[in-house]
């Protein structure tokens, strides 16, 4: 077993070399050996996926060299695709080796014409997704940017489902998710998480299929939503930045479908509202401390209004929270004495 663990330690090196300029010296025979190693690692994955202790040992050995991005046991199962995709995108690969690579992908060694149809299909889908995600973003991109965002969210959910099927530890999956999202610019990471949570809810409301057409389980999707919410709500600064980044309507949608999100969002709005004070000269609520008051009166009112325009349950919860806050302030029903009184009158 120690020999197998030593071999698994070479996976990060294999992936790194496949992306490097060193492949300029590869001939078809060298390429075949690289692909054989990739298929061998896939074989190890299939052999040990049902043995938790060995699976965890292999995952620990993969992480020993601290590769970036981090690798896990599930990487072994995708090794042929990862190596093949890296080589396809590597312009240093000589023509003869590239030709052998294409033949290997079209007709995997030792396989019949229909034995493994998903190898090249998976590479093509991931390459197409990469091209889609590389499209320009921002207001000028219009529907293309939204399509790219949806694709990123679907890929993220697909990977989370794969991680759960592999049976890895929850802590390891949370680490992987955090690392993956940290590789994106923060506004984009927030948009992807919001889109993924919305897609999970659409699956629940729809026909029970995942965004890619595969059967989705309520338990599996609930687990994915839990991981996403754990990452989002586990850091107060991150959650506040998330809520400042996204439009009120999207936040109200998430609050209406995820009670944990709703509670945290109302707590955050309460915190923001507490930093407003009434200016009698101006006749309106203003920020009492610019470095703490994240939103203005108008923005706070818009956010509560969106919540009250949601489902009947969300509207009831929002109004109940405002009434409780008003009661804590003295239950005044005169404008200008309590921000919560004025919000109740507005919304």
């Amino acid at each position: 077993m120690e020999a197998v663990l030593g071999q698994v330690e070479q996976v990060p090196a294999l992936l790194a070399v496949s992306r490097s300029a060193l492949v300029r010296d590869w001939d078809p025979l060298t390429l075949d050996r690289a692909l054989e190693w990739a298929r061998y690692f896939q074989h190890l994955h299939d052999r040990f996926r049902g043995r938790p202790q060995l699976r965890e040992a292999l995952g620990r050995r993969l992480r020993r060299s601290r590769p970036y991005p981090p690798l896990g046991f599930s990487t072994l199962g995708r090794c042929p695709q990862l190596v093949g995709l890296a080589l396809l995108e590597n312009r240093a690969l000589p023509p003869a080796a590239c030709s052998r690579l294409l033949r290997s992908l079209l007709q995997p060694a030792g396989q019949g014409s229909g034995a493994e149809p998903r190898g090249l299909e998976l590479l093509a889908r991931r390459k197409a997704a990469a091209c889609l995600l590389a499209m320009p973003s921002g207001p000028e991109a219009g529907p293309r940017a939204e399509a790219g965002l949806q694709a990123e969210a679907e890929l993220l959910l697909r990977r989370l489902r794969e991680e759960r099927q592999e049976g890895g530890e929850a802590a390891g999956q949370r680490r992987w998710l955090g690392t993956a999202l940290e590789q994106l610019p923060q506004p984009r990471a927030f948009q992807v998480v919001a889109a993924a949570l919305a897609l999970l809810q659409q699956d629940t409301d729809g026909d029970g299929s995942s965004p890619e057409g595969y059967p989705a389980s309520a338990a599996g999707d609930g687990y994915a939503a839990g991981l996403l919410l754990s990452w989002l709500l586990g850091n107060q600064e991150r959650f506040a930045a998330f809520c400042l980044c996204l439009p009120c309507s999207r936040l109200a949608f998430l609050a209406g479908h995820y009670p944990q999100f709703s509670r945290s969002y109302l707590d955050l709005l309460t915190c923001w509202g507490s930093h407003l004070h009434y200016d009698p000269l101006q006749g309106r609520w203003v920020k009492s401390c610019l470095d703490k008051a994240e939103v203005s009166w108008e923005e706070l009112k818009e956010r509560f209004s969106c919540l009250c325009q949601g489902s009947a349950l969300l509207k009831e919860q929002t109004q109940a929270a405002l009434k409780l806050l008003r009661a804590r302030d003295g239950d005044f029903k005169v404008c200008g004495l309590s921000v919560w009184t004025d919000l109740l009158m507005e919304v």
Side-chain angles (χ1 to χ4, degrees), residues 80-160:
Q81 288 77 27
L82 293 173
V83 171
L85 185 59
L87 291 171
L88 281 175
E89 295 179 333
N90 194 339
R91 295 188 178 184
L93 190 68
C98 186
S99 177
R100 177 66 65 89
L101 172 65
L102 292 173
R103 286 200 300 271
S104 298
L105 295 174
L106 289 168
Q107 184 65 45
Q111 299 289 338
S113 59
E116 189 179 343
R118 292 185 59 81
L120 183 61
E121 174 192 349
L122 182 58
L123 282 172
R125 288 171 57 194
R126 291 184 174 174
K127 182 63 177 177
C131 293
L132 176 63
L133 301 182
M135 288 197 250
S137 59
E140 69 280 0
R144 293 187 303 174
E146 183 63 24
L149 179 62
Q150 290 292 104
E152 284 182 273
E154 290 177 9
L155 288 172
L156 178 64
L157 291 177
R158 173 66 180 270
R159 180 62 186 275
L160 287 175

Side-chain angles (χ1 to χ4, degrees), residues 110-288:
Q111 299 289 338
S113 59
E116 189 179 343
R118 292 185 59 81
L120 183 61
E121 174 192 349
L122 182 58
L123 282 172
R125 288 171 57 194
R126 291 184 174 174
K127 182 63 177 177
C131 293
L132 176 63
L133 301 182
M135 288 197 250
S137 59
E140 69 280 0
R144 293 187 303 174
E146 183 63 24
L149 179 62
Q150 290 292 104
E152 284 182 273
E154 290 177 9
L155 288 172
L156 178 64
L157 291 177
R158 173 66 180 270
R159 180 62 186 275
L160 287 175
R161 288 176 177 126
E162 290 176 351
E163 290 288 332
R164 177 171 172 79
Q165 289 173 358
E166 298 299 340
E169 293 182 350
Q173 294 177 36
R174 284 194 294 269
R175 285 195 301 270
W176 174 87
L177 177 63
T179 302
L181 293 173
E182 286 169 6
Q183 295 180 46
L184 295 172
Q186 195 172 77
R188 189 66 173 178
F190 293 155
Q191 293 167 353
V192 170
V193 169
L197 288 170
L199 283 173
L200 288 172
Q201 191 56 46
Q202 290 173 15
D203 294 345
T204 303
D205 296 339
D207 60 1
S209 297
S210 71
E212 296 179 343
Y214 296 98
S217 70
D221 284 356
Y223 184 79
L227 285 177
L228 292 168
L229 289 171
S230 176
W231 176 84
L232 184 60
L233 304 178
N235 182 289
Q236 186 64 21
E237 292 184 3
R238 178 190 297 145
F239 181 60
F242 175 88
C243 293
L244 288 171
C245 171
L246 293 176
C248 300
S249 57
R250 176 56 63 91
L251 296 171
F253 173 85
L254 295 177
H257 290 88
Y258 295 101
Q260 187 179 359
F261 182 95
S262 175
R263 290 190 295 270
S264 297
Y265 187 38
L266 282 172
D267 288 344
L268 182 63
L269 293 179
T270 300
C271 178
W272 286 347
S274 67
H275 292 129
L276 297 177
H277 79 276
Y278 191 77
D279 187 338
L281 297 179
Q282 299 184 49
R284 63 188 184 91
W285 292 92
V286 297
K287 297 179 180 180
S288 59

